Amino acid sequence: MSNYKTSEQYGHALSHIHDSGFAGVAEAAADMLISTLKASGLTHGRVTDLGCGSGILARKLLDQGYAVEGVDQSVAMLALAQSRAPEAVFRHESLLECEIAPSIAVCTIGECFNYLFDRNNDEAALDRVLHRVHQSLEVGGIFLFDIATPDRIIKAPPKQFFQTQNWTTLVENIHSETPLMMTRKISSFVRAGEYYERVDETHHLRLINPNMLAHRMTTLGFEFEMFDCYGPTPLPAGCIGFCAYKRNIPEPG
Ligand SMILES: C[S@@+](CC[C@H](N)C(=O)[O-])C[C@H]1O[C@@H](n2cnc3c(N)ncnc32)[C@H](O)[C@@H]1O
């Protein structure tokens, strides 16, 4: 029998690895969100972070005087978020189902719309979240997010490895055409005293067509720009970011 374990998605080990080794995108997204909010005159109010992870963005927003509500499906991520950003409100829910309170901004950073952790994730479910985000935002409010697109199939290396003093992570990216999916097999070796503990997770991601999404965003009443970096920090290859504003639609009549 093998002596390593598979765990829930973003269990304890991988949550710590994400937090200590992959914080750069969330930090850069937070900086972009703060400057966009300030440029729009939105200096206070609630920001909702769907797929908040370990609270990296929450901490930065709180430090600028914003209130933050975060939602995530990982208990381990939420524990990290709670200790980093105790002034925020965190909820253990699926972002596909959760209620979104009235907000000046909503963000979803780090391919959160792509994960198939919630098996109900499909085009219709994504459509419903976009609709709820739009309803929750005040006019002029900001929706900042990124997605993994089908280009991830060409651009993501088939195998990657990452190493620090305390852990090593090996990632194998496997693609399937029908349905259009990317499977990430992640094996992590985490230092535990003089030994290393091995933890495996497998993540399935539904790849999202950015043009179809852009069309849907326009239909809903968003104006937006698409980009491939949060300020100086590039998004992973094959990902696209959206910075959207809720348009002021005149009442009929
Ligand atoms: C790559 S991490 C990004 C975390 C954080 N946004 C950041 O940038 O540091 C993806 C996060 O999305 C969360 N997630 C994925 N699908 C979810 C769902 N359906 N509902 C809630 N959280 C979800 C995962 O638990 C994980 O914390």
Side-chain angles (χ1 to χ4, degrees):
M1 204 171 89
S2 65
N3 63 353
Y4 64 87
K5 57 185 177 189
T6 55
S7 71
E8 58 163 321
Q9 290 100 349
Y10 282 104
H12 181 80
L14 199 61
S15 294
H16 279 267
I17 288 171
H18 177 83
D19 187 61
S20 62
F22 299 90
V25 170
E27 283 171 351
D31 291 343
M32 183 169 166
L33 181 58
I34 290 163
S35 56
T36 309
L37 283 167
K38 291 196 169 161
S40 302
L42 298 168
T43 53
H44 62 277
R46 181 190 292 112
V47 173
T48 299
D49 188 4
L50 301 176
C52 60
S54 57
I56 296 160
L57 180 138
R59 183 66 266 158
K60 283 200 168 225
L61 269 288
L62 289 165
D63 290 344
Q64 294 294 318
Y66 296 99
V68 178
E69 207 158 306
V71 172
D72 206 283
Q73 60 83 44
S74 158
V75 172
M77 281 289 205
L78 287 171
L80 290 173
Q82 189 65 49
S83 69
R84 172 175 283 124
E87 311 95 302
V89 174
F90 292 108
R91 290 186 279 134
H92 182 223
E93 278 181 85
S94 172
L95 62 86
L96 295 177
E97 304 291 336
C98 67
E99 280 186 20
I100 307 173
S103 303
I104 56 164
V106 176
C107 54
T108 310
I109 310 303
E111 307 175 330
C112 303
F113 284 139
N114 296 93
Y115 286 95
L116 288 163
F117 299 160
D118 182 333
R119 281 160 201 259
N120 294 324
N121 191 355
D122 59 14
E123 220 160 283
L126 177 59
D127 210 46
R128 289 193 294 273
V129 187
L130 299 180
H131 183 67
R132 275 184 292 119
V133 170
H134 187 263
Q135 282 187 318
S136 75
L137 282 173
E138 63 179 56
V139 169
I142 294 157
F143 181 22
L144 184 68
F145 65 97
D146 59 78
I147 53 160
T149 77
D151 273 1
R152 212 86 175 95
I153 291 176
I154 314 156
K155 293 185 175 165
K159 291 192 179 174
Q160 296 168 285
F161 93 95
F162 306 91
Q163 195 169 26
T164 69
Q165 277 205 323
N166 293 321
W167 50 261
T168 297
T169 292
L170 314 174
V171 182
E172 187 179 4
N173 295 310
I174 303 160
H175 307 116
S176 78
E177 295 288 339
T178 36
L180 200 52
M181 253 179 42
M182 177 161 161
T183 297
R184 241 178 235 150
K185 291 184 152 192
I186 308 167
S187 295
S188 302
F189 299 83
V190 183
R191 191 191 286 273
E194 51 181 310
Y195 299 105
Y196 280 82
E197 181 187 28
R198 174 174 169 172
V199 181
D200 287 353
E201 293 200 18
T202 299
H203 297 172
H204 300 289
L205 284 83
R206 193 178 77 81
L207 299 172
I208 298 171
N209 181 319
N211 297 326
M212 280 168 63
L213 183 56
H215 176 71
R216 186 61 192 132
M217 294 281 290
T218 306
T219 313
L220 279 168
F222 283 111
E223 265 170 29
F224 56 87
E225 286 165 18
M226 292 157 77
F227 53 83
D228 61 7
C229 52
Y230 287 119
T233 304
L235 282 162
C239 288
I240 287 189
F242 284 70
C243 184
Y245 301 81
K246 179 167 171 171
R247 271 204 320 257
N248 190 1
I249 300 173
E251 293 295 322

